[in-house]
Amino acid sequence: MDQSAIVDQYLSDNKFFGLLVGVWPDQDRFTKYFVRFITFTIVNLSNLAQISRIVVFFSLNNLTDQMPFLLLGIAIILKQFNYVLYENKLRDLLNGIVVEWLTGRPEEELAILELYSKRALIFSSIYKASIWFSVFMFLLLPALPPILDIVAPLNASRERILLYPSYYFVDEQEYYYLILGHMVVSAFILACVFIACDLNLIHTVQHACALLTISGYRFKHAMDEANFYTEKYRGVALDKSYAKVVQSIDAHKKATEYVKKLEACHVHYFCILIGMIIMMFTVTFVKAGFIDYRNIYQLATVEMGSTYLTFCAFTVSQLVHLLFLTVMGQFLINSHEATFRKIYEAQWHNGSAKAQALYVLVLRQCLNPQKLTGGGIITLDLNSFVQVDH
């Protein structure tokens, strides 16, 4: 396969959505800047409309109404800006996937790459489906009043509703369809930005796991035919097994360097994004239980209206997004631990003293695993997910 064939087979969705929002590194320069400008303009107009509502009609109730939607709009800018800022690093990460496929490898190692590439495609499909489902559910909100007017008619038609609260300094009912159109476009951009950015994360994390697994496979089988204590294991055989260990170390070094690049491309992004998710949780739960200042935590007393259901949907979406981020980090931790076990289980004791020393050094290095963190403060794993939920 050539480079374009690999991209079409494994990174086609990354390329498609990346081109739509201007975060595909190899996109034509003019088109890339034009798409970024359009996306930035539409999303920030939405954010300004939300800020206007907070300022003009300021109250604690309006603030808690608006904050989850506003933070979501800021998250769109954050995700896109991260890959704009680290465009070269993203290019290196994606090109690394292609290069590994083009490198001549044994069938066993190609099978490992194939396994993790398919896993990335499966996770990508699940993530795309969850994003589009969430956006579709919000797009149904404006259709509720007309449907209820038919199913349960009142003396007068119900007031039309928007996707999210905002203020455009015009009569919302008179310019309803123009405002709704802008909101629908904003929702579409949200879905495309989230998918484009997070698919890159999925594929690069799974590729890092594949590289770690390949290094573990090499270490485990480097000494399969070695026996330093027999007469046959001398000379060329000794050099051959030692060379396999060196190749295994090269593979492990390549894997750890790839993880470091992955961490460097997302370190500040993870920190800010997790902080925003925690803020969304706080505001959402406060809003869900808000009746008055004296009864702010009584969730059971909240009226089961569209606003309440909207915030419940927001809570679920936030949980899914946080789970996605932490699971990606957990995958790396699991792959590192599996690699450590494979190195330890190898027949390294049958090798020469030099080969044994190399195994010891690698095992010592594995005691400081590479992992994804939020600014070096929060480790992305399932334990962090549980702690944030509590």
Side-chain angles (χ1 to χ4, degrees):
M1 292 190 295
D2 58 8
Q3 181 174 351
S4 60
I6 294 171
V7 171
D8 291 339
Q9 183 171 352
Y10 298 109
L11 300 173
S12 58
D13 285 338
N14 303 56
K15 182 177 180 180
F16 176 76
F17 288 100
L19 292 173
L20 286 180
V21 297
V23 296
W24 182 251
D26 297 326
Q27 188 175 8
D28 172 72
R29 185 173 182 179
F30 173 79
T31 306
K32 179 165 44 181
Y33 286 126
F34 177 76
V35 170
R36 289 175 182 174
F37 174 77
I38 295 298
T39 302
F40 183 82
T41 302
I42 293 175
V43 172
N44 276 287
L45 284 175
S46 175
N47 291 338
L48 287 174
Q50 296 182 63
I51 294 173
S52 298
R53 183 175 182 271
I54 296 175
V55 174
V56 175
F57 306 104
F58 180 79
S59 69
L60 182 60
N61 191 36
N62 286 339
L63 181 63
T64 54
D65 273 343
Q66 203 69 61
M67 284 304 295
F69 299 99
L70 182 58
L71 288 172
L72 188 60
I74 297 173
I76 299 174
I77 301 300
L78 172 65
K79 281 179 173 289
Q80 186 183 36
F81 179 74
N82 180 71
Y83 286 118
V84 171
L85 182 63
Y86 295 113
E87 182 178 26
N88 292 330
K89 292 182 179 180
L90 177 62
R91 181 183 292 106
D92 290 341
L93 290 171
L94 296 177
N95 287 342
I97 298 176
V98 176
V99 169
E100 292 300 325
W101 274 105
L102 296 177
T103 303
R105 290 183 176 276
E107 292 184 1
E108 295 81 3
E109 294 182 7
L110 288 175
I112 293 173
L113 283 176
E114 180 72 20
L115 172 64
Y116 281 93
S117 295
K118 288 182 177 179
R119 283 180 57 177
L121 292 174
I122 292 172
F123 290 131
S124 297
S125 299
I126 295 173
Y127 187 76
K128 285 188 300 180
S130 65
I131 292 295
W132 285 121
F133 177 76
S134 299
V135 171
F136 177 74
M137 293 302 294
F138 276 98
L139 290 178
L140 286 180
L141 288 177
L144 288 179
I147 293 175
L148 291 176
D149 285 341
I150 297 174
V151 176
L154 301 175
N155 294 331
S157 298
R158 291 175 172 83
E159 185 176 353
R160 295 176 294 189
I161 61 176
L162 298 170
L163 293 182
Y164 50 84
S166 60
Y167 182 63
Y168 285 82
F169 295 95
V170 294
D171 188 331
E172 289 185 353
Q173 298 303 313
E174 182 179 354
Y175 296 93
Y176 175 77
Y177 290 107
L178 285 176
I179 296 174
L180 182 62
H182 175 248
M183 291 184 172
V184 170
V185 173
S186 298
F188 176 78
I189 291 175
L190 179 148
C192 291
V193 169
F194 268 67
I195 292 173
C197 296
D198 291 341
L199 290 195
N200 288 331
L201 180 60
I202 290 174
H203 281 268
T204 50
V205 166
Q206 292 303 313
H207 184 66
C209 293
L211 294 180
L212 287 169
T213 303
I214 289 173
S215 68
Y217 172 84
R218 288 188 179 184
F219 275 112
K220 185 174 183 178
H221 296 283
M223 291 293 179
D224 283 352
E225 300 177 359
N227 192 343
F228 185 70
Y229 302 101
T230 63
E231 292 294 332
K232 295 181 179 179
Y233 188 63
R234 292 291 188 273
V236 176
L238 177 64
D239 294 337
K240 185 177 180 180
S241 62
Y242 183 80
K244 288 183 178 180
V245 178
V246 173
Q247 291 175 357
S248 302
I249 292 175
D250 289 338
H252 189 265
K253 182 180 179 181
K254 181 182 293 185
T256 55
E257 288 178 349
Y258 190 87
V259 176
K260 288 179 180 179
K261 291 180 181 179
L262 181 59
E263 164 80 356
C265 188
H266 298 88
V267 59
H268 300 106
Y269 163 79
F270 286 144
C271 183
I272 299 173
L273 190 59
I274 291 176
M276 291 176 61
I277 292 175
I278 294 174
M279 289 178 62
M280 287 184 187
F281 272 130
T282 303
V283 174
T284 301
F285 286 135
V286 167
K287 180 60 184 178
F290 180 78
I291 291 297
D292 54 43
Y293 301 109
R294 297 167 300 174
N295 202 23
I296 195 168
Y297 294 108
Q298 294 182 4
L299 180 61
T301 64
V302 180
E303 180 182 358
M304 294 292 291
S306 60
T307 302
Y308 175 72
L309 294 177
T310 299
F311 277 88
C312 286
F314 249 104
T315 302
V316 174
S317 300
Q318 293 159 25
L319 281 172
V320 171
H321 192 212
L322 181 62
L323 178 62
F324 160 77
L325 293 176
T326 53
V327 162
M328 291 298 107
Q330 189 66 50
F331 280 141
L332 274 179
I333 293 174
N334 292 346
S335 295
H336 174 83
E337 292 176 351
T339 300
F340 180 86
R341 288 195 299 269
K342 289 179 181 179
I343 296 173
Y344 182 78
E345 293 169 357
Q347 301 297 317
W348 55 269
H349 50 273
N350 289 333
S352 64
K354 289 195 303 181
Q356 292 178 13
L358 292 179
Y359 271 92
V360 172
L361 290 174
V362 173
L363 288 172
R364 176 62 184 85
Q365 185 183 17
C366 288
L367 296 178
N368 300 313
Q370 298 295 324
K371 53 190 176 182
L372 297 181
T373 65
I377 302 173
I378 304 174
T379 300
L380 269 67
D381 56 15
L382 293 180
N383 183 52
S384 298
F385 175 75
V386 174
Q387 289 179 352
V388 171
D389 287 347
H390 283 75

